């Protein structure tokens, strides 16, 4: 009886699923009806901006699907060339995206303006008791900027904060030891210091200074102001709405309804506002033409499959070497692919995993052009995997380079015994059996061994960069030692070839493959994107696997006293806001 009841319930659930899917398809079909003759493209930036969004109709119907750089790019490029589109109406709330993302969206808005379309932006506020640099920087790309009269402009300048956990280790009785190559390979200082070292402070100053210069110059150019005037305004911020108008940063003080009504009146009431999702659903799908692969590689680089880590210190997106290496092998098998764009957003991680990915990328680059497109971050291992591509393109605000290595361990014996009352019996059969343990200090001979390993990995890194960039290892070393640069600074040092976003990289791939700049191309995503329902199942499986991994990690930590670190070619997140 229970079995029959289970079968009936299962059939009932399946029927409900079929009905829901059917209704979703009917709604989606209705949304794909013909666009009106006069359109205002309405784009709202709120929440995280991801590289690729999951194609989930249920999330779209509920309004919870995150906006992606790929969708923003496609919509604004189509809008620039679409005779039905009169202009772009942008609403900016709090959104999660790096400076490189902002610069790419700014360039896409400039493309719309160059096509003779107007662009207008509305903000409730540019930051509310919080930095509003990112919101205003993006808004300044539009022809006109509107602000709610109750809002503020928190264009307050660049701020850098870096955490140090040495003090926590001291309180817990944990002793860190993390040698590295170069005074600017600063990831290890998170463990060993309580404040910026001299080299770290110097590096952060040139990074933040470069971002600040770019932001000020771009705002001044867009608003018809002098850079000095913008800097003076930054120093006097936060600004009330009235003060922002007086400073030339804001054009109109009005709420959202008044903003929309005014734009509608400017168009004679004939244009219909269409949001980004609907516009893309109703727009023609590009097909045919030369096929260009796009390999999207996001997150910390680790061996295994891509996914998500729940590690409380180093968690987040994971770029798995198995997943990305397979993507390159699949491209090599596909004889219809003319070129590839390697889209990277990564702080690095494992040297072995980075080399596995790089090797497969180079095999493809031996057959067809490969162009790297660096997003917000392509540092340390994220730069390693770019070595061997024919061209490297970075946004001006990309965080990149960090050519250096570090390694180390934590002596946690006092923590276990004094704080938790756990002691360990120890037996080692081999002079260096405990070299990767976290219950004893290294011996001097072991330190020599670890130094040799770091020297070897650093030497390999220098050679990869030197071969890729046409330099000697000495020339690379002179700009390496862990130094992190913005895209602008990396270009000056020969570490990238061009400044620009995804479209600049795509244009370079066309050029190298001998494809006419005006010819239609089809972008083919790798790793292959799954249907939305498979992605839901895969997300569930990945989350369960991540929980299992975290539990196993904790169990291994207690059993051995050893805590793993993220990798020898890793750069900690550099948060600039």
């Amino acid at each position: 009886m229970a079995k029959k009841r289970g079968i009936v319930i299962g059939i009932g659930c399946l029927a409900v699923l079929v009905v829901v899917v059917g209704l979703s398809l009917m709604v989606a079909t209705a949304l794909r009806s013909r666009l009106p003759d006069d359109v205002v493209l309405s784009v709202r930036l709120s929440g995280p901006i991801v590289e690729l969004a999951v194609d989930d109709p249920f999330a779209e119907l509920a309004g919870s699907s995150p906006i992606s750089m790929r969708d923003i790019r496609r919509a604004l490029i189509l809008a620039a060339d679409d005779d039905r589109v009169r202009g772009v109406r942008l609403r900016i709330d709090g959104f999660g995206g790096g400076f490189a993302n902002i610069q790419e969206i700014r360039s896409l808005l400039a493309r719309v303006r160059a096509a003779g379309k107007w662009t207008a932006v509305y903000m409730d506020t540019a930051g509310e008791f919080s930095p509003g640099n990112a919101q205003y920087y993006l808004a300044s790309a539009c022809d006109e900027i509107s602000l709610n009269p109750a809002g503020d402009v928190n264009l307050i300048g660049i701020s850098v904060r870096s955490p140090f956990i040495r003090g926590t280790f001291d309180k817990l009785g944990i002793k860190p030891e993390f040698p590295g190559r170069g005074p600017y390979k600063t990831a290890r200082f998170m463990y060993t210091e309580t404040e910026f070292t001299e080299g770290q402070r110097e590096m952060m100053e040139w990074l933040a200074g470069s971002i600040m210069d770019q932001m000020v110059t771009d705002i001044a150019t867009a608003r018809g102001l002098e850079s000095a005037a913008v800097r003076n305004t930054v120093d006097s911020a936060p600004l009330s709405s009235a003060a922002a108008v007086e400073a030339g940063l804001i054009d109109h003080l009005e709420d959202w309804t008044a903003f929309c009504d005014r734009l509608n009146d400017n168009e004679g009431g004939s244009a219909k506002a269409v949001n980004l999702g609907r516009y893309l659903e109703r727009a023609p799908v590009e097909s045919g033409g030369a096929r260009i692969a796009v390999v999207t590689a996001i997150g910390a680089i680790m061996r295994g499959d891509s996914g998500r880590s729940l590690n409380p210190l180093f968690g987040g997106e994971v770029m798995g070497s198995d997943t990305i290496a397979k993507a390159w092998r699949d491209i090599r098998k596909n004889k219809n692919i003319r070129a590839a764009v390697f889209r990277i957003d990564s702080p690095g991680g494992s040297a072995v995993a980075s080399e596995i990915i790089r090797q497969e990328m180079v095999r493809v680059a031996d057959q067809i052009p490969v162009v790297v497109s660096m997003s917000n971050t392509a540092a340390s291992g994220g730069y390693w995997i770019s070595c061997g591509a024919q061209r490297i393109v970075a946004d001006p605000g990309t965080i990149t380079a960090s050519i250096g290595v570090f390694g180390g361990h934590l002596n946690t014996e006092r923590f276990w015994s004094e704080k938790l009352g756990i002691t360990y019996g120890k037996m080692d059969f081999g002079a260096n059996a405990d070299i990767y343990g976290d219950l004893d200090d290294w011996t001097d001979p072991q330190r020599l061994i670890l130094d040799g390993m770091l020297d070897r990995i650093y030497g390999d890194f220098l050679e990869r960069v030197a071969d890729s960039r046409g330099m000697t290892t000495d020339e690379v070393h002179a700009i390496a030692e862990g130094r992190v640069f913005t895209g602008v600074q990396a270009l000056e040092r020969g570490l990238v070839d061009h400044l620009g976003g995804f479209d600049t990289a795509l244009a370079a791939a066309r050029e190298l493959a001998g494809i006419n700049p005006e010819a239609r191309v089809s972008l083919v995503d790798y790793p292959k994107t799954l249907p939305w329902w498979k992605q839901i199942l895969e997300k569930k499986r990945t989350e369960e696997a991540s929980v299992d991994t975290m539990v196993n990690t904790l169990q291994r930590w207690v059993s051995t006293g050893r805590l793993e670190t993220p990798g020898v070619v890793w750069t900690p997140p550099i948060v600039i806001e």
Side-chain angles (χ1 to χ4, degrees):
M1 180 66 70
K3 184 176 181 181
K4 289 183 178 179
R5 187 182 300 113
I7 293 174
V8 171
I9 292 173
I11 293 173
C13 292
L14 181 61
V16 171
L17 179 62
V18 169
V19 170
V20 171
V21 170
L23 289 173
S24 300
L25 292 174
M26 290 172 61
V27 172
T29 300
L31 290 175
R32 290 189 179 95
S33 59
R34 187 176 66 87
L35 283 168
D37 292 333
D38 295 316
V39 171
V40 171
L41 176 60
S42 182
V43 181
R44 182 171 186 174
L45 297 182
S46 178
I49 298 178
V50 298
E51 188 65 34
L52 288 172
V54 176
D55 183 15
D56 181 356
F58 297 107
E60 290 173 6
L61 289 172
S64 60
S65 181
I67 194 167
S68 72
M69 286 298 298
R70 181 70 62 83
D71 286 345
I72 292 170
R73 173 187 173 273
R74 180 167 173 249
L76 293 179
I77 288 175
L78 286 172
D81 298 331
D82 190 340
D83 292 337
R84 295 167 298 186
V85 175
R86 299 289 177 243
V88 173
R89 187 182 78 184
L90 185 65
R91 178 168 183 172
I92 298 176
D93 296 323
F95 64 90
F99 274 88
N101 286 156
I102 294 170
Q103 289 170 336
E104 292 200 31
I105 298 172
R106 283 176 55 88
S107 68
L108 291 166
L109 290 168
R111 183 167 178 163
V112 172
R113 296 172 65 181
K117 317 292 179 72
W118 56 260
T119 58
V121 59
Y122 170 83
M123 297 179 289
D124 287 328
T125 185
E128 185 173 10
F129 281 90
S130 63
N133 301 307
Q135 293 96 314
Y136 186 81
Y137 183 30
L138 178 53
S140 67
C142 292
D143 294 307
E144 58 178 63
I145 304 175
S146 293
L147 181 73
N148 191 296
D152 300 312
V153 174
N154 285 286
L155 183 65
I156 55 177
I158 298 300
S159 177
V160 178
R161 296 292 182 269
S162 294
F164 296 91
I165 58 177
R166 175 60 188 267
T168 302
F169 286 161
D170 290 343
K171 291 180 181 295
L172 295 176
I174 297 174
K175 181 181 177 181
E177 186 173 358
F178 283 84
R181 293 299 169 267
Y184 303 97
K185 191 62 180 177
T186 60
R188 67 190 194 274
F189 299 145
M190 179 177 70
Y191 306 103
T192 63
E193 307 296 329
T194 59
E195 180 54 275
F196 286 130
T197 64
E198 183 179 344
Q200 190 174 17
R201 183 175 296 278
E202 178 191 5
M203 186 173 74
M204 290 301 177
E205 285 176 351
W206 77 56
L207 280 175
S210 179
I211 295 291
M212 183 71 174
D213 288 344
Q214 293 172 41
M215 185 176 72
V216 166
T217 300
D218 291 346
I219 290 173
T221 301
R223 300 298 299 174
L225 302 169
E226 296 293 329
S227 293
V230 174
R231 286 188 182 274
N232 289 336
T233 298
V234 168
D235 288 338
S236 63
L239 302 177
S240 67
S241 58
V245 172
E246 185 177 351
L249 300 183
I250 299 296
D251 298 297
H252 305 282
L253 297 180
E254 55 193 351
D255 65 11
W256 171 247
T257 299
F259 171 77
C260 295
D261 289 345
R262 180 174 58 80
L263 295 181
N264 189 48
D265 290 343
N266 290 346
E267 289 296 325
S270 61
K272 178 176 177 56
V274 177
N275 68 37
L276 182 143
R278 285 189 173 186
Y279 180 70
L280 289 178
E281 287 172 343
R282 300 178 183 190
V285 177
E286 296 178 2
S287 61
R291 295 163 70 83
I292 295 179
V294 179
V295 179
T296 303
I298 298 172
I301 304 172
M302 300 182 185
R303 288 180 292 116
D305 294 329
S306 295
R308 189 167 184 84
S309 169
L310 298 181
N311 186 306
L313 286 178
F314 315 114
E317 294 292 328
V318 171
M319 183 198 310
S321 59
D322 288 354
T323 301
I324 304 303
K326 182 181 183 300
W328 286 115
R329 288 194 294 271
D330 290 344
I331 292 171
R332 199 149 48 93
K333 294 174 186 175
N334 190 336
K335 303 305 179 184
N336 295 320
I337 299 294
R338 297 277 302 277
V341 174
F342 193 11
R343 180 72 166 175
I344 300 171
D345 194 348
S346 172
S350 162
V352 175
S354 298
E355 180 61 9
I356 289 170
I357 293 170
R358 192 198 70 85
Q359 287 169 340
E360 294 294 350
M361 182 272 288
V362 169
R363 290 188 177 98
V364 173
D366 288 339
Q367 296 180 355
I368 61 174
V370 175
V371 177
V372 167
S373 173
M374 294 178 170
S375 184
N376 294 306
T377 305
S380 204
Y383 189 86
W384 185 309
I385 63 176
S386 74
C387 295
Q390 280 88 345
R391 300 269 179 88
I392 299 177
V393 177
D395 281 293
T398 296
I399 302 298
T400 188
S402 190
I403 301 164
V405 301
F406 79 102
H409 77 147
L410 304 169
N411 185 339
T412 60
E413 185 172 30
R414 284 185 54 216
F415 165 71
W416 294 112
S417 63
E418 296 178 9
K419 307 299 181 182
L420 299 181
I422 299 174
T423 57
Y424 292 85
K426 304 175 188 177
M427 288 191 295
D428 298 319
F429 299 90
N432 298 308
D434 66 336
I435 193 169
Y436 300 120
D438 280 356
L439 294 174
D440 296 284
D441 288 343
W442 281 323
T443 65
D444 288 340
Q446 287 173 340
R447 289 189 179 94
L448 290 175
I449 292 171
L450 268 297
D451 281 341
M453 294 172 66
L454 293 176
D455 286 338
R456 172 178 57 79
I457 297 170
Y458 184 52
D460 289 345
F461 204 164
L462 294 179
E463 288 180 5
R464 302 291 183 273
V465 177
D467 291 343
S468 173
R469 305 308 302 169
M471 299 177 178
T472 66
T473 55
D474 287 341
E475 288 172 334
V476 177
H477 174 67
I479 57 175
E481 295 189 288
R483 292 176 177 87
V484 181
F485 302 116
T486 62
V488 169
Q489 295 163 336
L491 179 67
E492 293 169 351
R493 290 159 177 80
L495 294 176
V496 305
D497 298 295
H498 303 288
L499 295 179
F502 180 87
D503 287 292
T504 303
L506 182 60
R510 284 174 175 269
E511 175 193 339
L512 292 171
I515 301 171
N516 190 300
E518 304 301 323
R520 177 177 295 177
V521 297
S522 295
L523 302 183
V524 185
D525 283 313
Y526 291 87
K528 294 293 186 182
T529 54
L530 299 174
W532 63 267
W533 59 273
K534 283 189 176 181
Q535 293 194 32
I536 293 175
L537 295 176
E538 182 66 18
K539 181 180 180 183
K540 178 71 173 175
R541 185 192 69 79
T542 300
E543 288 175 349
E544 291 175 350
S546 296
V547 172
D548 289 342
T549 299
M550 183 172 66
V551 171
N552 292 335
T553 298
L554 291 174
Q555 289 176 338
R556 186 167 60 252
W557 188 26
V558 175
S559 299
T560 65
R562 184 171 68 249
L563 180 64
E564 296 179 0
T565 53
V568 298
V569 286
W570 177 73
T571 298
I574 297 174
V575 179
I576 300 175
E577 60 178 14

